[in-house]
């Protein structure tokens, strides 16, 4: 089975720009979640997508948005980038069944640097 | 953002020693997960616990889901140099809430 793949692996953007990060889910999984991990911290939940709709969101502003496609792949979009958005962005896929996510699997992440 | 209380923050041990780390929360979780993260990589799932009181092993690793559903521990027996890395606990209630991580260093 294929794992979770993310692209690009590294990215440098200028403050105020927009960025799109991509994720392919593990085969057999129906849910995608995105996390932001600052240096030296645990990952923080951004949002989760199930059946192409957002079904959970963490404490992140609306300029963080996402999409899930019919093949369960996903995009994370961040508008009006700020310096504090510099972090490792992690995508995770899972199989949601009766409110529990099974097989929570992370990709290797995209390292975003905002200058 | 919300985080679990994970301890210790770091450990420096000799190869062959046993390791224990734990996580506590003020909230109840339905699932507890333990991950290991190497530099520049995403977290890799070590053990998933789905039932209060559950004790699960994966090779030299053993983890337990606390009976109150508010805590979990991870033990690593007979540590080896490749155990080096950052270990995270995570409680699941829909989303995952992570601990701050335990950085493990193993001296050969």
């Amino acid at each position: 089975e294929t794992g979770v793949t993310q692209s690009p692996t590294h990215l440098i953007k200028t403050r105020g720009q927009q960025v799109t990060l991509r994720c392919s889910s593990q085969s057999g999984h129906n849910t995608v979640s995105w996390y932001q991990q600052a240096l030296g911290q645990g990952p923080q939940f951004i949002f989760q997508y199930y059946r192409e709709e957002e079904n959970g969101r963490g404490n992140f502003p609306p300029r963080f948005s996402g999409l899930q496609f019919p093949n369960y792949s996903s995009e994370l979009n961040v508008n009006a980038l700020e310096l504090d958005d510099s972090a490792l962005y992690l995508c995770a896929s899972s199989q949601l069944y009766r409110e529990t996510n099974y097989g929570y699997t992370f990709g290797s992440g995209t390292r975003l640097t905002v200058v | 953002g919300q985080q679990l209380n994970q301890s210790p923050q770091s450990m420096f041990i000799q190869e062959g020693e046993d390791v224990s780390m734990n996580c506590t929360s003020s909230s109840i979780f339905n699932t507890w997960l333990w991950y290991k993260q190497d530099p520049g990589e995403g977290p890799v799932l070590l053990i998933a616990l789905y039932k209060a009181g559950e004790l699960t092993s994966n090779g030299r690793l053993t983890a337990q889901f606390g009976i109150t559903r508010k805590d979990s521990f991870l033990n690593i027996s007979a540590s080896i140099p490749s155990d080096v890395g950052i270990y995270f606990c995570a409680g699941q209630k829909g989303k995952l809430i992570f601990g701050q991580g335990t950085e493990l260093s193993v001296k050969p």
Side-chain angles (χ1 to χ4, degrees), chain B:
Chain B
Q2 185 181 2
Q3 283 191 324
L4 305 176
N5 296 316
Q6 184 173 348
S7 63
Q9 276 192 313
S10 60
M11 301 183 75
F12 297 86
I13 63 169
Q14 199 78 28
E15 183 177 358
E17 288 184 351
D18 295 345
V19 171
S20 185
M21 59 191 78
N22 69 81
C23 267
T24 60
S25 170
S26 56
S27 302
I28 289 174
F29 290 106
N30 300 324
T31 304
W32 280 92
L33 305 166
W34 284 92
Y35 287 90
K36 179 175 183 269
Q37 188 173 25
D38 293 325
E41 298 292 326
V44 174
L45 183 65
L46 300 173
I47 292 181
L49 302 157
Y50 296 107
K51 189 176 175 183
E54 180 181 352
L55 183 71
T56 298
S57 292
N58 177 10
R60 295 179 295 106
L61 278 60
T62 302
Q64 184 157 32
F65 190 149
I67 199 73
T68 65
R69 295 166 64 192
K70 293 182 179 181
D71 63 303
S72 177
F73 72 74
L74 173 71
N75 288 339
I76 305 173
S77 62
S79 58
I80 58 178
S82 62
D83 290 335
V84 165
I86 301 178
Y87 291 79
F88 287 100
C89 63
Q92 184 186 155
K93 205 172 180 182
K95 63 184 179 181
L96 291 187
I97 298 173
F98 282 83
Q100 305 96 316
T102 295
E103 185 170 8
L104 179 62
S105 301
V106 180
K107 187 177 178 183

Side-chain angles (χ1 to χ4, degrees), chain A residues 38-109:
Chain A
L39 211 57
Q41 300 291 320
Q44 295 289 322
F45 176 72
I46 302 175
F47 43 54
Q48 174 174 288
Y49 277 82
Y50 172 68
R51 290 187 174 178
E52 301 175 50
E53 289 192 359
E54 185 182 295
N55 79 333
R57 190 178 184 94
N59 189 25
F60 281 81
R63 58 190 186 83
F64 285 77
S65 63
L67 286 171
Q68 185 186 28
F69 300 101
N71 66 354
Y72 304 119
S73 65
S74 178
E75 286 182 356
L76 165 66
N77 298 293
V78 187
N79 293 323
L81 284 166
E82 301 176 358
L83 296 179
D84 285 350
D85 294 334
S86 296
L88 181 67
Y89 287 85
L90 295 163
C91 169
S93 74
S94 57
Q95 183 67 14
L96 180 62
Y97 177 70
R98 291 187 178 178
E99 299 184 358
T100 295
N101 284 299
Y102 293 92
Y104 227 105
T105 305
F106 284 86
S108 295

Side-chain angles (χ1 to χ4, degrees), chain A residues 2-31:
Chain A
T2 57
V4 178
T5 57
Q6 292 187 242
S7 63
T9 54
H10 295 83
L11 202 52
I12 299 176
K13 287 286 191 177
T14 303
R15 189 170 48 183
Q17 284 188 313
Q18 177 266 342
V19 69
T20 298
L21 310 182
R22 294 179 174 82
C23 171
S24 294
S25 299
Q26 181 166 307
S27 176
H29 285 177
N30 59 13
T31 303

